[in-house]
C-alpha cells in the first residue's frame, strides 16, 4: 500500500491521526531524553522517602513528553530485613494515550535487582531514568542510592536525529 502525507485538506478529504504523525517523527527522531540541559529529567533525592524528577523533555516512538516543574514521586516504605531496587521510568501507554513518570517497585531480596522494563512494543514502551536502592530499614533516600540510567542506550539514551550524534 502506498501512503503519502501531509497535504492540505479540501472539504475534509485529508485527515491525519496522531499515529501518522508519530510514525513520521519516529523515522528521524530517536527515543530518549533531550541532552540539554544536563539536568533534563534527572532524578534527585529529597533525603526522605520521596524523589524529585527535574523538568525536562523526552521522546518515545514519535511521541513527546515534557515535565515543566519539579515532580515529586513517592518511594514505598523499606522492609525491615530485605532491600530492594525500584526503577523510575517514563511509560508510554497507547491505550491510556499518555506518557507518565512512574516508580516501579522492585522485589525484596538479599541481592536485589531493578525491575525490568516490562514492555517495549506497540502498546507500552518504557525508558528507564534511574534505579533507586531502598536499603533495609531505610527512612530516607540519599543521592548515593540513585543510579542515573539516562545515558544507558539500552534503557533510555539521548534523543538523536537521522545521523546518530
Amino acid at each position: 500500500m502506498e501512503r503519502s502525507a501531509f497535504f492540505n485538506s479540501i472539504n475534509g478529504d485529508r485527515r491525519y491521526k496522531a499515529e501518522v504523525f508519530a510514525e513520521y517523527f519516529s523515522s528521524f527522531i530517536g527515543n530518549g531524553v533531550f541532552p540539554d540541559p544536563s539536568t533534563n529529567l534527572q532524578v534527585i533525592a529529597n533525603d526522605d522517602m520521596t524523589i524529585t524528577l527535574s523538568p525536562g523533555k523526552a521522546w518515545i516512538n514519535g511521541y513527546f513528553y515534557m515535565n515543566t516543574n519539579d515532580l515529586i514521586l513517592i518511594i514505598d516504605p523499606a522492609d525491615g530485613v530485605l532491600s530492594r531496587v525500584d526503577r523510575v521510568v517514563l511509560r508510554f501507554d497507547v491505550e491510556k494515550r499518555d506518557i507518565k513518570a512512574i516508580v516501579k517497585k522492585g522485589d525484596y531480596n538479599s541481592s536485589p535487582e531493578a525491575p525490568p522494563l516490562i514492555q517495549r512494543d506497540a502498546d507500552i514502551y518504557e525508558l528507564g531514568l534511574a534505579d533507586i536502592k531502598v536499603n533495609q530499614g531505610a527512612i530516607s533516600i540519599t543521592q548515593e542510592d540513585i543510579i542515573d540510567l539516562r545515558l544507558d542506550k539500552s534503557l533510555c539514551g539521548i534523543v538523536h536525529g537521522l545521523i546518530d550524534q
Side-chain angles (χ1 to χ4, degrees), residues 3 6 15 20 24 56 69 72 109 114 116 125 132 155:
R3 277 193 335 189
F6 300 96
R15 294 186 179 154
V20 175
Y24 166 71
N69 297 308
I72 306 296
N109 198 308
Y125 198 96
I132 313 295
L155 298 173

Side-chain angles (χ1 to χ4, degrees), residues 91-153:
R91 179 179 286 167
F92 163 64
D93 188 320
V94 173
E95 184 178 321
K96 291 181 181 177
R97 297 176 301 145
D98 65 14
I99 300 173
K100 295 282 185 189
I102 64 166
V103 177
K104 295 175 65 169
K105 186 176 176 179
D107 294 327
Y108 294 109
N109 198 308
S110 57
S111 298
E113 294 182 10
L117 300 176
I118 58 164
Q119 272 181 275
R120 281 193 156 177
D121 58 29
D123 297 321
I124 292 177
Y125 198 96
E126 295 177 334
L127 294 180
L129 299 177
D131 285 346
I132 313 295
K133 177 90 184 278
V134 182
N135 294 306
Q136 65 187 39
I139 57 170
S140 66
I141 302 298
T142 65
Q143 201 60 39
E144 292 78 35
D145 297 323
I146 298 175
I147 298 172
D148 192 341
L149 303 176
R150 294 174 300 154
L151 297 179
D152 185 331
K153 286 183 179 184

Side-chain angles (χ1 to χ4, degrees), residues 4 15-16 21 24 39 47-48 50 53 57-58 65 74 83 90-91 99 117 122 129 132 134 136 138 146 155 164:
S4 59
R15 294 186 179 154
Y16 301 103
F21 285 100
Y24 166 71
T39 58
D47 294 324
D48 58 15
T50 68
L53 181 63
K57 301 172 187 172
Y65 171 83
I74 298 170
S83 299
L90 286 182
R91 179 179 286 167
I99 300 173
L117 300 176
L129 299 177
I132 313 295
V134 182
Q136 65 187 39
I146 298 175
L155 298 173
D164 200 5

